[in-house]
Amino acid sequence: MLCPMRLALGLAVLLGSAAPALPNPNVVIILTDDLGYGDVGAYNPESKIPTPNLDGLAAEGMRFTDAHTPDGVCTPTRYGLLTGRYAWRTWLKRGVLNGSSPPLIEPERLTLADMLRQQGYETGMVGKWHLGRRWHLLDESRDQIVANVDWSKPVINGPAQHGFTYSFGLAKPAWGFVENGKVLARPTLAFDLTHLPAYLMGGNNNKGTKSPGFEFERMLPRFTEEAVGFIARAAEQTQPWFLYFAPLAPHRPVVPNKDFTDQSAAGLYGDFVAEVDWSVGEVLAAIERSGQADNTLVVVTSDNGPEADAYRRILEYRHASMAKLRGLKRDLWEGGHRVPFLARWPGKIPAGSVQDEVLCLTDLMATVAAIVGFQLPSDAAEDSYDMSDALFGADSDSPVREATVHHGSRGWFGIRQGDWVLINHPTGDNNGGANREPEWFRQQRLAKVHDQDVELYNLKEDPAQTTNRAAEAPERVRSMQRLLESYKQDGRSVSR
């Protein structure tokens, strides 16, 4: 069944001038950081956090219930979203990049921004990059550390080299702002916040070097201001525009501004999520002011599941950031990679609709390509499926995806096929090797201990993944393992 947009485009081709060509839409992708499936009211009626803007987006557009990140952590998910390719196919086989890591996106790799620029788009990126970048060094024989970076010169490899005409983000490996590859204030101030609780700052944020005037609490408001500013400037031009907005929130440091104090019943984290919701609302308001809301596709999602302190929030506030799912960020269980995914395009995406199709964030590349009429080459977006039919509410007799590969922070794999998901490694007490699942949580969720080398769950019957079915379905296990290996060996999971 053809989606409405494709049908309209096809009629325009057949009828020539009798049917005016539809203009390509503006595209806004908001990638929140560590936002859990259960943090958003539209996904979890029991959430203790007010999310009126996200809930409103769900009411005005489509809520995907089975959307997944390609990885349980941030860097590989960002790579997958921007390239349509699983990051484990690169040299990054586990974990994430650090502040001084080399660029992960290959120079010749087509990105979502590259593709849209070729279609005449203005392209902007605001927020967290976390895909590696290279600065000019004072001493080429030394590593890219703060003291060895020549901050007077622009970045060598960053968003501008991967399709973005405008960018505003962080001057990693230091804390400071960088605009269009140039640092706004040279990082010179050392700081040490190791006395603060880990759940507030996180070990990778509590010490280092920052620019004068940089404050953690200003990150989200500043990123929001820059995103809103990009929309206002781009809307004055004649060409369509693409904004990739990736705020470092509600990721640690958990630093809600005072206006959001006690806005939730889930502590500081809940207040920070409320501020994230405000930020989304500011972007949506900017789109409305532009006068182009009716021709703007907006997607809001998350880069992985919630951080490990989500267990603490259950005990203290009775708020489950993973909702009824099992697992958190870094994990192979559903809570590590099943995320909120909201999409709105007035008049194209049915308002208030719910979509149960399995989607991976790698699919944004092929989906947007289909919408704007771009023919993806065979050496691009190797793991990206076109989800435009599902996005526009078309019915399908079979799943769009043959299968979806899951990947955890320690480099272990899982694969989803239909209602079944195989975790190709025993999670045991280490919960996929990442966050140790508390015994009280396991008992509360009625999860059964097992002695198998792998885990197999039927998500339709057992969405909370309480009962490992591997022992009773060995042929299904072997079949899914063979499919996983074929995806690894073939270098792609979709053909075009």
Side-chain angles (χ1 to χ4, degrees), residues 180-486:
N180 291 331
K182 296 181 180 179
V183 67
L184 299 186
R186 179 186 175 191
T188 57
L189 303 177
F191 69 94
D192 188 338
L193 302 174
T194 53
H195 62 285
L196 296 176
Y199 72 84
L200 175 63
M201 293 301 292
N204 58 339
N205 297 314
N206 57 16
K207 58 184 177 180
T209 305
K210 66 177 183 176
S211 297
F214 179 89
E215 299 297 338
F216 286 114
E217 292 86 347
R218 280 294 303 157
M219 273 196 297
L220 183 54
R222 184 65 186 276
F223 288 153
T224 305
E225 291 167 7
E226 296 300 331
V228 167
F230 172 82
I231 292 171
R233 294 190 302 273
E236 294 178 352
Q237 309 303 315
T238 57
Q239 71 265 45
W241 43 271
F242 165 51
L243 171 64
Y244 170 52
F245 180 35
L248 182 67
H251 186 287
R252 299 167 178 169
V254 180
V255 283
N257 282 276
K258 61 180 181 180
D259 290 345
F260 298 92
T261 302
D262 297 328
Q263 289 295 304
S264 79
L268 282 174
Y269 174 85
D271 296 345
F272 204 26
V273 172
E275 187 170 358
V276 170
D277 183 80
W278 162 84
S279 175
V280 171
E282 291 295 292
V283 172
L284 296 178
I287 296 171
E288 290 292 335
R289 288 194 299 272
S290 76
Q292 299 178 11
D294 286 346
N295 196 40
T296 301
L297 169 63
V298 178
V299 171
V300 181
T301 185
S302 180
D303 65 345
N304 45 244
E307 186 53 89
D309 53 8
Y311 290 131
R312 181 182 58 83
R313 282 194 295 278
I314 294 176
L315 296 176
E316 290 190 22
Y317 305 106
R318 299 185 182 276
H319 172 79
S321 287
M322 74 296 282
K324 302 296 184 182
L325 303 176
R326 190 179 182 187
L328 303 174
K329 176 181 178 178
R330 305 179 187 87
D331 293 339
L332 284 171
W333 285 329
E334 291 291 291
H337 47 79
R338 189 183 293 211
V339 291
F341 188 100
L342 303 170
R344 186 191 75 179
W345 185 2
K348 306 295 189 302
I349 296 175
S353 56
V354 178
Q355 178 58 260
D356 297 329
E357 187 78 44
V358 176
L359 174 146
C360 182
L361 295 195
T362 56
D363 298 334
L364 282 167
M365 184 83 163
T367 303
V368 173
I371 290 172
V372 303
F374 184 90
Q375 183 63 48
L376 287 166
S378 60
D379 62 349
E382 294 93 333
D383 302 298
S384 187
Y385 284 76
D386 174 11
M387 288 288 171
S388 57
D389 284 351
L391 195 65
F392 296 127
D395 295 327
S396 177
D397 295 331
S398 59
V400 176
R401 285 186 145 269
E402 177 186 37
T404 304
V405 177
H406 301 316
H407 193 244
S409 65
R410 289 200 173 183
W412 299 337
F413 287 90
I415 185 168
R416 166 77 176 275
Q417 188 177 33
D419 294 329
W420 294 89
V421 62
L422 173 74
I423 296 176
N424 205 33
H425 196 282
T427 59
D429 288 338
N430 285 327
N431 185 8
N435 314 295
R436 186 174 294 275
E437 183 182 58
E439 181 62 28
W440 64 262
F441 181 85
R442 180 181 299 163
Q443 293 179 7
Q444 184 184 88
R445 298 299 178 96
L446 304 179
K448 301 179 180 65
V449 177
H450 66 86
D451 60 359
Q452 301 298 303
D453 292 333
V454 298
E455 295 186 7
L456 179 71
Y457 299 99
N458 185 305
L459 295 176
K460 183 176 182 179
E461 300 173 358
D462 183 19
Q465 296 177 288
T466 64
T467 306
N468 184 6
R469 304 275 293 276
E472 64 186 73
E475 182 49 43
R476 183 179 295 277
V477 168
R478 288 190 290 269
S479 174
M480 295 178 73
Q481 287 174 328
R482 287 193 296 268
L483 182 60
L484 174 60
E485 288 306 311
S486 72

